[in-house]
Amino acid sequence: MSSPHGRPKKWHRSIECGSKINLHLKVTGRRPDGMHDLSSCFLFLNHPGDRLEVTGGEGSMTLECPGFPELANENNLLWRAGTAFAQAAGIKPEWKLVLEKKVPLAAGLGGGSADAGALLKLLNEYYSALDEENLTRLAFSLGADVPFFLHRRAAWVTGAGEYCRSIGKLPEIPHILIVNPGFPVSAKWAYSHLPAELIGADDPSAEENFVNGSVDWQEFCINDLAPAIFRKFPLLEIIKEQLYADGALAVQISGSGPSLFALFESADESAAAAVTVKKRFGAMEGMKFFTAG
């Protein structure tokens, strides 16, 4: 049996949703609606990432999150993305969504936005319902980071997240170690505690130096949201100092935190640093380590 769109009534797709780190995050302005304009280098990561299974032709939309039943409801950004796409495309939302959650919640790694972006990408590839402009507009209506996850590649992001300029040729990126301390930080809190004096124009040479490959990583890896987060959670400053002591080229908070990323010249150095940090802090409940890729 076929759907009204001429496609099989029953279908199945899966996708690895990925995540991101902000190698560079400068807040350039505050909008009247409370959103903030950015100049930020987003790096797409295949790992860590959630896994999404979508089965079509189920009669209605359902959502399962094994191990996280509290996420399986209509407030989940994934559910909202499915509902919004169905409305925009003029189709019935008849999908069973099963999300295998691997990215920590409220971690500054874009897990929820990655899930929503992956679903929009998958659905639009199947139905061919929206052009790129309208799909991007729909993604932005769901969250500032969602448009980035439609394209799933490194980009320089401006505006409040709606403008993504893909970076064709990346410089050689050092080995990335991510340390998530096991507690969440809300983006709303991080932005509400951003010191006003930090808001301003980005260094125009930052993007140029990155694209040209002449990067001083410690200078490049800034985050205007980080100072308030480090003040509220002194543990993060201690972990940062340990990572530097273990040879990191740069250590910074990703996005609205609290996850730290550290850049190392070699995989061996990254692995050794992970061992050191685990020995010193690994007994903390919920702390997670990822070798990004």
Side-chain angles (χ1 to χ4, degrees):
M1 181 180 295
S2 296
S3 72
H5 289 262
R7 297 183 180 275
K9 181 73 173 175
K10 285 280 190 178
W11 57 273
H12 180 82
R13 298 287 189 278
S14 64
I15 188 170
E16 301 291 339
C17 301
S19 59
K20 60 85 179 171
I21 57 172
N22 300 83
L23 287 172
H24 178 96
L25 196 165
K26 184 77 184 74
V27 180
T28 58
R30 189 174 188 275
R31 298 183 176 187
D33 62 3
M35 297 187 76
H36 290 78
D37 287 317
L38 307 176
S39 175
S40 183
C41 181
F42 278 53
L43 186 66
F44 179 78
L45 305 176
N46 291 302
H47 176 78
D50 300 337
R51 179 175 177 81
L52 176 63
E53 301 274 346
V54 181
T55 304
E58 292 293 302
S60 63
M61 185 162 65
T62 61
L63 173 60
E64 298 177 9
C65 299
F68 297 88
E70 69 277 11
L71 300 182
N73 58 62
E74 296 180 8
N75 294 320
N76 192 309
L77 187 59
L78 189 61
W79 182 283
R80 288 160 48 203
T83 301
F85 181 86
Q87 291 174 345
I91 60 178
K92 182 181 178 181
E94 48 181 9
W95 312 301
K96 177 182 178 181
L97 311 177
V98 180
L99 182 68
E100 184 181 353
K101 193 70 185 163
K102 299 177 184 178
V103 179
L105 301 175
L109 302 175
S113 295
D115 299 342
L119 179 61
L120 293 179
K121 174 181 172 65
L122 188 154
L123 291 176
N124 203 50
E125 286 176 350
Y126 184 79
Y127 291 102
S128 301
L130 303 177
D131 60 25
E132 183 175 353
E133 181 180 352
N134 284 313
L135 187 64
T136 299
R137 186 180 296 116
L138 175 62
F140 184 66
S141 73
L142 294 165
D145 289 352
V146 181
F148 167 74
F149 286 106
L150 294 176
H151 305 289
R152 302 163 62 87
R153 55 181 179 267
W156 204 276
V157 176
T158 55
E162 68 269 44
Y163 304 115
C164 299
R165 298 195 305 276
S166 294
I167 301 170
K169 183 179 180 181
L170 291 174
E172 185 175 349
I173 306 294
H175 295 267
I176 303 169
L177 174 66
I178 296 173
V179 182
N180 176 263
F183 54 80
V185 172
S186 78
K188 183 177 180 180
W189 182 93
Y191 277 97
S192 68
H193 287 79
L194 168 69
E197 62 271 17
L198 290 182
I199 300 176
D202 197 5
D203 181 349
S205 67
E207 182 178 359
E208 180 182 351
N209 290 340
F210 180 79
V211 172
N212 291 338
S214 54
V215 189
D216 179 323
W217 290 108
Q218 192 166 353
E219 184 178 296
F220 181 77
C221 294
I222 64 166
N223 183 348
D224 283 349
L225 302 177
I229 299 170
F230 279 126
R231 282 195 300 271
K232 183 173 177 61
F233 303 103
L235 170 67
L236 296 178
E237 188 74 45
I238 297 171
I239 296 174
K240 182 180 78 170
E241 292 172 357
Q242 180 64 61
L243 290 165
Y244 271 123
D246 290 333
L249 302 172
V251 183
Q252 189 53 270
I253 286 173
S254 177
S256 55
S259 297
L260 292 161
F261 67 87
L263 306 181
F264 291 89
E265 287 186 348
S266 71
D268 288 345
E269 285 184 314
S270 175
V275 170
T276 302
V277 174
K278 285 177 183 178
K279 284 182 177 178
R280 186 173 178 188
F281 307 102
M284 292 182 55
E285 184 177 355
M287 180 172 279
K288 294 182 174 65
F289 300 83
F290 303 99
T291 301

